[in-house]
Amino acid sequence: MTFPVVGMVGGGQLARMTHEAGIPLGIRFKLLSDTPQDSAAQVVSDVVIGDYRDLDTLREFARGCDVITFDHEHVPTEHLKALEADGIPVRPGPDALVHAQDKGVMRTKLMEIGVPCPRHRIVRDPADVAAFAAELAGGGHEVPSGKGGGGRRAGGFPVVLKTVRGGYDGKGVWVVDSEAEAAEPFRAGVPVLAEEKVDYVRELAANVVRSPHGQAVAYPVVESRQVAGVCDTVIAPAPDLDESLALRAEEMALNIAKELGVVGHLAVELFETRDGRVLVNELAMRPHNSGHWSMDGAITSQFANHVRAVLDLPLGDPRPRAPWTVMVNVLGGDYPDMYSAYLHCMARDPQLKIHMYGKDVKPGRKVGHVNTYGDDLDDVLERARHAAGYLRGTITE
């Protein structure tokens, strides 16, 4: 029996964990990685070192692969179209992936299909940012008195500015309070998207997976807590989330996947607003940090379902195994010897699940995550935070 070969472009931790999910199924992986030291390159046997921005390199890499997928969205759209023209299945395809690559394209399409988004437009220069802020000031909306205040909420500054391509983990994003502060984003020489600064209660994420023949599954909507623009904690399911709002978010994510023709995993990052709405913040068409909890907390993880989807296999059950699962990212700090912390962490919590990425420890860098689960949310949160803090060295007892 011949098992398929999945070609994964990108050698980061998402590729590493996707490869891990394919091992029990006998799925073979071929990796296009920047360096031999990349997270996935350490564990995948068939590794090609090369530049994903070079079409000839992509074409040579694709030889012998049954399907191409990604652990990032940065491969040039025109290169993916060329691979498709060569007869190579690319999942998600370029016509879908461009909506995760280009925030301007994403906003235009989401508005076209009726998905609620923050008010926004492409801006040309700092003066245009000020004009956009003035438009917001004249377009506030009523806030019910039971939803965090009352009366008309004014628009205007502050305004969120984003480069339309290339940003992640808070990079390529600025919150500006005046025209004078708006110069920095334009220095990169790429289009800039201006958005209203949403008055939100918290950030949520709706994760769905869709296969080529249209089967789709939805994971529980989760709460995502950020620190300095980087995901710190994910709680599954999002606590105290109104059932109708959760259902609306899941349906929205499934509809986006269908309308955009997504194949594989789609993460829809959301704002839960004070006036009871959900607005789309970002899209990611690959396994996502907000879905890492599913490795230990769901019947079928996001990584396993992504593998199934790109191979057009029947999708697995996304339901949670426990009432609560918490994921906390392990960030690098001043204490590089994380392995020595295992003795304490494992002895203290035998149910703890540790996932390390094989990365050099650098301050602020995501080097792993921990998952905990159980019946009591406060207990599950405390266990995850303690383990992540002890591994980092910020907790010593």
Side-chain angles (χ1 to χ4, degrees):
M1 183 180 294
T2 301
F3 285 81
V5 177
V6 174
M8 175 70 76
V9 178
Q13 65 262 26
L14 300 179
R16 181 184 179 113
M17 291 182 278
T18 305
H19 166 257
E20 179 185 353
I23 291 172
L25 301 176
I27 306 302
R28 293 183 292 160
F29 273 73
K30 184 178 179 181
L31 185 72
L32 180 60
S33 186
D34 290 338
T35 75
Q37 291 75 41
D38 285 347
S39 181
Q42 299 173 27
V43 297
V44 176
S45 60
D46 189 357
V47 180
V48 174
I49 304 302
D51 187 349
Y52 62 83
R53 294 164 296 189
D54 179 73
L55 179 56
D56 290 338
T57 297
L58 283 170
R59 279 181 161 145
E60 182 60 31
F61 168 74
R63 295 181 188 276
C65 295
D66 293 284
V67 63
I68 299 295
T69 191
F70 317 93
D71 90 334
H72 60 71
E73 292 105 344
H74 305 314
V75 180
T77 308
E78 62 272 17
H79 290 2
L80 300 181
K81 288 182 179 291
L83 292 182
E84 284 196 327
D86 292 342
I88 299 164
V90 176
R91 295 171 178 165
D95 292 336
L97 192 62
V98 69
H99 298 92
Q101 295 174 321
D102 190 304
K103 296 178 178 66
V105 173
M106 172 194 73
R107 287 287 181 234
T108 299
K109 182 63 175 180
L110 293 184
M111 295 298 289
E112 178 186 310
I113 63 177
V115 173
C117 298
R119 290 171 291 173
H120 62 276
R121 69 174 170 84
I122 300 293
V123 287
R124 301 180 300 275
D125 51 38
D128 203 14
V129 175
F132 173 72
E135 294 168 12
L136 294 180
H141 57 275
E142 294 295 331
V143 180
S145 58
K147 297 287 186 179
R152 195 166 185 78
R153 189 175 305 286
F157 286 110
V159 167
V160 179
L161 300 179
K162 302 176 178 179
T163 52
V164 296
R165 285 180 177 257
Y168 69 97
D169 279 352
K171 299 177 178 66
V173 179
W174 296 261
V175 180
V176 300
D177 290 307
S178 67
E179 179 179 342
E181 292 182 8
E184 177 66 25
F186 296 94
R187 292 184 181 132
V190 298
V192 175
L193 177 71
E195 296 183 345
E196 67 172 309
K197 189 174 186 298
V198 175
D199 184 22
Y200 63 90
V201 177
R202 57 180 168 176
E203 294 187 55
L204 305 171
N207 290 281
V208 299
V209 183
R210 183 175 178 272
S211 67
H213 70 273
Q215 184 190 9
V217 297
Y219 289 88
V221 176
V222 300
E223 178 178 336
S224 177
R225 298 180 180 177
Q226 318 295 312
V227 175
V230 178
C231 178
D232 178 80
T233 302
V234 172
I235 305 173
D240 302 317
L241 181 61
D242 182 80
E243 186 176 346
S244 64
L245 202 62
L247 182 60
R248 194 183 317 161
E250 289 181 12
E251 290 176 342
M252 184 190 304
L254 289 168
N255 183 56
I256 292 171
K258 179 181 177 181
E259 291 290 337
L260 272 55
V262 176
V263 172
H265 185 272
L266 169 70
V268 181
E269 298 180 57
L270 302 161
F271 294 124
E272 180 185 358
T273 68
R274 293 191 185 280
D275 57 341
R277 298 173 295 154
V278 284
L279 304 177
V280 172
N281 179 24
E282 305 276 2
L283 300 180
M285 293 182 194
R286 49 173 171 74
H288 190 256
N289 207 168
S290 64
H292 287 0
W293 69 272
S294 66
M295 296 176 74
D296 305 296
I299 294 172
T300 311
S301 76
Q302 64 164 347
F303 299 102
N305 262 334
H306 185 76
V307 171
R308 293 187 186 202
V310 300
L311 293 171
D312 207 10
L313 294 170
L315 300 180
D317 192 334
R319 288 179 298 170
R321 294 178 181 270
W324 300 104
T325 303
V326 170
M327 189 272 332
V328 175
N329 277 318
V330 178
L331 302 182
D334 298 326
Y335 185 68
D337 183 17
M338 292 189 174
Y339 179 72
S340 65
Y342 282 12
L343 182 64
H344 168 87
C345 291
M346 293 177 177
R348 185 178 189 271
D349 186 357
Q351 290 186 320
L352 175 70
K353 303 296 183 181
I354 300 173
H355 301 273
M356 302 303 286
Y357 306 152
K359 292 182 173 182
D360 291 335
V361 177
K362 297 178 181 178
R365 186 186 199 187
K366 289 180 188 175
V367 294
H369 71 271
V370 297
N371 285 334
T372 57
Y373 50 87
D375 298 330
D376 182 89
L377 178 56
D378 290 338
D379 173 69
V380 174
L381 269 169
E382 190 279 330
R383 287 161 47 209
R385 288 169 175 163
H386 180 93
Y390 200 93
L391 287 164
R392 188 178 187 183
T394 55
I395 295 174
T396 58
E397 58 183 11

